[in-house]
Amino acid sequence: MLSYFCLNWLLLVLFTGPTVSELVVTGEAGQEITVPCHYSVRDGNGITSMCWGRDRCPNSKCARPIIWTDGWRVTEQHSSRYQLKGDLQKGDVSLTIVNAREADSGTYCCRVELPGWFNDQLINHKVVITKARISTASPHTYTSEQTSAPGSTSESSFTVTRTWPPVSASEAPQTASAPCSGTSDCLDVTANLQNSSVSLPSQQHPERGLYIGIGSCAALLLILILALFLT
């Protein structure tokens, strides 16, 4: 009877295998993805070998192995993109995928080989790598240009700069601060400003005109007096 129960237990273990936990890890293409895996290390005697595989954990070893370690250093490496950056002697055997790709998505097996029958620590990870997000916002560009008036012969852009004679604050024309009520009003104001600006040079010597007027009056008065004496 005892041998019968022992045989059933052995068959159950062989067919069901050790308990396997599963985790999900997500990442983005182009990034560095870390798939966690740890085991307990009490002293130097507790350091053991382990492997990572690209499939679910089988009854022994790793299916499609990508990296192996003896507990002290990496002994086998399928690609330089698969690395163990953790402290191996402290039981940190997490897998780092450098420059992850969408093709890296799938199931990964972390198998830590512990002493004894069917004592291996097994963890299946489902890794999902998505496409990198690309920003669709276009850079803001601000342009400013002046073009020729419709119907002109030149189609190229140009800038007109006008320089007026310097005037003092007292000679500057007074303009209304209120905005134009219509297009005709704006045209009249512009014409007045231009006429005032053009006539400014002639107003720079008002005293000279005064002297000429006084001299003319004196000459006319002298002529009238002479005419009276002659008559």
Side-chain angles (χ1 to χ4, degrees), residues 102-114:
E102 293 184 65
D104 292 325
S105 300
T107 302
Y108 288 74
C109 167
C110 172
R111 187 184 198 102
V112 180
E113 298 179 327
L114 300 176

Side-chain angles (χ1 to χ4, degrees), residues 19 100 119 210:
T19 303
N119 287 338
L210 180 61

Side-chain angles (χ1 to χ4, degrees), residues 169-217:
S170 60
E171 296 174 346
Q174 301 295 324
T175 58
S177 59
C180 301
S181 60
T183 306
S184 60
D185 294 341
C186 292
L187 294 177
D188 294 340
V189 172
T190 304
N192 292 335
L193 288 175
Q194 293 179 350
N195 294 334
S196 300
S197 301
V198 172
S199 62
L200 283 177
S202 64
Q203 298 177 2
Q204 292 180 357
H205 304 285
E207 297 177 357
R208 183 178 178 182
L210 180 61
Y211 294 153
I212 294 175
I214 294 174
S216 299
C217 291

Side-chain angles (χ1 to χ4, degrees), residues 17-18 45 53 57 83 87 95 116 123 140 142 154 159 161 191 207 218 223:
N45 295 328
C57 296
Q83 302 178 13
D87 192 341
L95 175 67
I123 303 177
H140 297 286
Y142 299 96
S154 175
T159 302
T161 303
E207 297 177 357
I223 293 172

